[in-house]
Amino acid sequence: MKAERNKTIDLSVEEGAEYLKQCIHVSENADLNSIIDKTIHGDTFEVLKKLPNQFIDLLIVDPPYNLNKDFHGNKFKQTSDEFYAEYTRGWIELCKPLLKPNASVYVCCDWISSCVIGLELKKHFKIQNRITWQREKGRGAKSNWKNGMEDIWFCTLSDDYTFNVEDVKIRRRVVAPYKKDGEPKDWEETEEGNFRNTYPSNFWDDISIPYWSMAENTAHPTQKSEKLLAKLILASSNKGDVVFDPFLGSGSTSVTAKKLERHFCGIEQNEQYCVWIQKRLEMAETDKSIQGYTDGVFWERNTSSIQKTKTKK
């Protein structure tokens, strides 16, 4: 029995049989209308060969890191850098023809796989930046530094790409507020405190890993938060664009895209995860909220209780 406040989505394949039926299979070359806003159940490397060219506005990839990991029966084994580079080349070469000319690409990785993935991406794309985000939890290490960071490579096909910087500002507390002529300069005075909306850097320290009391949480071992995905989606796509994820996992990319009024499509081979994806998509029909993102502003970690600000007169 779960605790009353435990919102983790962990229904079994048997319990979620109706959700699994909502996923589609691609047995031959598919057109856009047949895959849009769908979860494709199948092997990524086989499905990618059957998808239409140049339909993706934003590609978000969270591949298995080069670590030993059990994804509910689908095991990924750590291998050599050379073999992992070949694995990375495989999905890059299959995804690249599916991208629109002005598409953007984000690829998640840990510090071990980051160097390998970065070198492969550089062969195919223009690397615009490398984002590093801070994990606020993780296992301690007695003989090494605790691993508290992950990377996201930001790439494009050309210098023509979408970047909506005004949509991804972060709200930070102002410790030493400066006034000009008695009025706040570049900050806002509110009943909850003093805040400034700042432009984002490539270091993110405001991300929370989904945990048991969050409605978005699943039993997936490497789930990314909707807040993290929202930053990528808002910055590098527009409403109505197509966001695609070839390693969908717990479904955070599709769910967040739906909440932000983008079209989505993704591939997942694990039946268990397909069930959770469809459950989350159903939940997104009535709940568009994204924890840590309110009124068009990203809040610092642990400030989610502040929902709205009222400027003092």
Side-chain angles (χ1 to χ4, degrees):
M1 294 292 291
K2 292 192 295 187
E4 184 178 350
R5 292 180 57 224
N6 189 341
K7 299 178 182 179
T8 301
I9 299 170
D10 58 0
L11 68 166
S12 67
V13 173
E14 291 73 25
E15 293 169 327
E18 291 303 312
Y19 291 117
L20 186 59
K21 290 178 183 177
Q22 296 171 8
C23 299
I24 66 171
H25 294 85
V26 176
S27 57
E28 55 187 19
N29 292 340
D31 59 37
L32 181 58
N33 289 333
S34 67
I35 63 171
I36 201 71
D37 297 334
K38 301 291 185 181
T39 301
I40 302 171
H41 179 209
D43 177 80
T44 291
F45 290 87
E46 293 303 316
V47 173
L48 286 173
K49 300 172 185 176
K50 303 168 185 176
L51 300 185
N53 286 341
Q54 296 190 0
F55 79 96
I56 300 170
D57 295 286
L58 173 59
L59 174 66
I60 298 178
V61 188
D62 187 10
Y65 297 171
N66 194 13
L67 302 167
N68 293 321
K69 184 68 69 172
D70 187 346
F71 295 98
H72 286 81
N74 293 343
K75 296 183 179 181
F76 191 93
K77 294 185 178 181
Q78 186 174 17
T79 185
S80 66
D81 285 352
E82 291 75 17
F83 190 87
Y84 192 73
E86 182 180 346
Y87 174 84
T88 302
R89 274 195 304 276
W91 62 254
I92 289 176
E93 292 173 354
L94 289 171
C95 284
K96 191 174 180 181
L98 313 183
L99 301 173
K100 291 182 180 178
N102 62 343
S104 293
V105 178
Y106 288 95
V107 183
C108 303
C109 45
D110 69 339
W111 71 271
I112 296 175
S113 59
S114 184
C115 295
V116 175
I117 289 176
L119 288 173
E120 293 303 319
L121 290 172
K122 192 174 182 179
K123 298 174 184 177
H124 296 271
F125 305 108
K126 289 179 174 287
I127 294 181
Q128 302 293 344
N129 214 322
R130 186 190 69 184
I131 299 161
T132 298
W133 62 279
Q134 182 183 33
R135 298 173 57 93
E136 88 284 16
K137 65 179 182 179
R139 295 179 179 177
K142 294 183 179 179
S143 59
N144 202 338
W145 305 104
K146 177 180 175 180
N147 183 19
M149 304 289 181
E150 290 194 14
D151 287 345
I152 304 175
W153 289 98
F154 169 35
C155 314
T156 61
L157 282 173
S158 70
D159 291 327
D160 176 23
Y161 60 92
T162 296
F163 196 78
N164 304 311
V165 71
E166 294 293 332
D167 293 343
V168 286
K169 286 186 173 180
I170 184 169
R171 175 154 288 202
R172 295 191 181 278
R173 291 186 180 273
V174 177
V175 179
Y178 172 73
K179 292 187 176 182
K180 183 176 182 180
D181 299 326
E183 296 296 326
K185 181 174 174 58
D186 299 327
W187 55 276
E188 182 182 1
E189 188 176 13
T190 78
E191 294 176 356
E192 291 83 9
N194 302 321
F195 296 93
R196 175 185 291 116
N197 293 343
T198 64
Y199 287 111
S201 75
N202 62 350
F203 173 66
W204 299 350
D205 60 356
D206 62 320
I207 303 298
S208 292
I209 303 298
Y211 50 89
W212 60 274
S213 64
M214 294 171 65
E216 69 184 82
N217 191 49
T218 74
H220 191 283
T222 62
Q223 181 175 347
K224 298 297 188 294
S225 74
E226 292 177 11
K227 183 181 183 182
L228 185 148
L229 274 302
K231 288 174 180 271
L232 309 181
I233 292 168
L234 285 167
S236 295
S237 71
N238 299 305
K239 290 183 179 180
D241 282 353
V242 177
V243 181
F244 179 76
D245 186 337
F247 299 96
L248 200 47
S250 66
S252 293
T253 299
S254 291
V255 172
T256 310
K258 181 174 183 175
K259 290 184 175 183
L260 296 174
E261 300 180 49
R262 274 68 170 172
H263 290 295
F264 59 87
C265 180
I267 307 169
E268 177 51 49
Q269 66 174 337
N270 191 304
E271 289 187 349
Q272 181 68 84
Y273 299 161
C274 285
V275 168
W276 297 344
I277 292 165
Q278 296 308 119
K279 173 63 175 177
R280 293 180 66 192
L281 287 170
E282 178 184 77
M283 293 166 62
E285 291 285 346
T286 54
D287 183 5
K288 304 292 185 184
S289 65
I290 296 172
Q291 184 158 321
Y293 174 71
T294 308
D295 297 333
V297 174
F298 288 95
W299 294 82
E300 292 182 276
R301 187 187 296 149
N302 300 325
T303 57
S304 60
S305 60
I306 303 173
Q307 294 299 310
K308 292 186 178 181
T309 60
K310 296 180 181 178
T311 304
K312 291 182 178 179
K313 295 182 179 179

